[in-house]
Amino acid sequence: RAEERLKRHRPAGGGQRTEADTARLVHELEVHQIELEMQNEELQQARATADALLAQYTALYDFAPTGYFTLDREGAIRQLNLNGARLLGGERSGLVKRRFGQFVAESDRRAFSDFLEQVFASEAKESCEVRLRQAGAPPLFVRIEGTRSAVAQECHAVVLDMTERKRAEETLRQKVEALCASNAQLETFNRAMVGRELRMIELKLEINELCRRLGEPPRHATDQFQTGHIPGAGPAPAPPGG
């Protein structure tokens, strides 16, 4: 077909070419060949740049300290990075196509299902906090943040390990509870001591009053508690017979 088209485009008179025409044609072919070589070099350079960028972003994705997951509507794992595999406690190749919910603690699976449903129902970023089961080890506390992809068929999720933070919060909570309990004990002890001190004052006043009635001098100095006031004890009772 190319030969037939060439024949149709040949000028009348048998298509005889002069030496100048041949030289011009050869020159055009050489220029075209150089242009193709330059384009090929540019394509090779562009491809090398693209490969370098792909390797860079792949490294950033794979070795990021955060778990990255791509989930479908059923929660099945389509893609994940190395840290994501570590959080789930398995090899990356063996985790693809498995449902993320299988690794969530049973009591938290409803929260994860609601999170996934909300992601695909809106364009906003959704989040939830769940525990991930660990074979032979305490569970991991994680926060999951996810958004729906542009084609609305995938959920891009970021999984943050909050185990150390949760443990620190629990330790702090226990210390606060212990301090509150200790403070309550001290307050009880303080009230008991104040009550005992008040009773001692009452007894001394009663003894002094009895001595007065018997015509004897008082046995206890009462200047320091004549008003009957002890800090934190409230007003003192009136002396007997007063």
Side-chain angles (χ1 to χ4, degrees):
R1 288 195 300 269
E3 291 175 352
E4 291 295 330
R5 180 175 297 182
L6 179 60
K7 291 178 181 180
R8 289 196 299 269
H9 285 80
R10 280 181 178 174
Q16 297 295 326
R17 297 183 183 274
T18 64
E19 183 176 348
D21 292 336
T22 302
R24 180 177 57 80
L25 181 60
V26 170
H27 175 73
E28 291 178 354
L29 290 174
E30 290 176 346
V31 171
H32 184 60
Q33 180 179 359
I34 292 175
E35 289 177 346
L36 290 176
E37 291 175 354
M38 294 174 62
Q39 291 176 2
N40 183 61
E41 291 175 358
E42 292 177 355
L43 288 174
Q44 292 292 339
Q45 184 177 358
R47 181 175 180 179
T49 302
D51 289 344
L53 289 174
L54 178 61
Q56 178 182 355
Y57 285 110
T58 299
L60 289 174
Y61 176 83
D62 284 341
F63 298 102
T66 303
Y68 291 135
F69 292 84
T70 300
L71 310 175
D72 64 13
R73 288 182 173 271
E74 303 301 323
I77 302 172
R78 291 185 175 179
Q79 292 180 343
L80 73 163
N81 66 349
L82 294 176
N83 196 57
R86 181 192 65 80
L87 291 174
L88 300 185
E91 296 292 334
R92 181 161 59 171
S93 59
L95 295 171
V96 176
K97 297 183 179 181
R98 296 186 62 180
R99 291 194 176 185
F100 189 93
Q102 297 177 352
F103 301 92
V104 177
E106 188 173 354
S107 58
D108 295 337
R109 289 180 182 176
R110 181 58 183 273
F112 174 73
S113 298
D114 292 342
F115 154 79
L116 200 61
E117 182 178 348
Q118 292 170 359
V119 168
F120 285 102
S122 67
E123 297 181 357
K125 180 173 69 175
E126 304 292 341
S127 64
C128 69
E129 293 186 5
V130 299
R131 290 167 297 171
L132 297 180
R133 297 183 302 166
Q134 297 285 299
L140 296 179
F141 292 89
V142 299
R143 176 180 176 84
I144 307 176
E145 298 179 352
T147 56
R148 186 181 64 182
S149 65
V151 295
Q153 297 297 323
E154 293 180 339
C155 167
H156 297 307
V158 178
V159 181
L160 307 172
D161 188 354
M162 302 178 63
T163 305
E164 293 301 324
R165 174 181 170 184
K166 288 290 185 180
R167 289 174 180 170
E169 290 177 351
E170 178 62 20
T171 300
L172 179 61
R173 185 189 64 80
Q174 293 177 358
K175 288 183 178 180
V176 169
E177 290 182 352
L179 287 174
C180 290
S182 178
N183 186 59
Q185 292 177 353
L186 287 174
E187 289 181 353
T188 301
F189 177 76
N190 185 56
R191 286 195 296 268
M193 292 299 296
V194 170
R196 179 182 176 183
E197 193 70 22
L198 286 174
R199 182 55 182 160
M200 291 295 295
I201 292 173
E202 292 176 356
L203 290 175
K204 290 178 180 180
L205 291 174
E206 289 177 1
I207 291 173
N208 286 348
E209 178 63 19
L210 181 59
C211 290
R212 186 184 67 80
R213 292 178 180 179
L214 296 175
E216 298 178 0
R219 297 185 180 182
H220 302 284
T222 59
D223 294 341
Q224 59 181 348
F225 48 82
Q226 192 65 41
T227 60
H229 176 70
I230 294 178

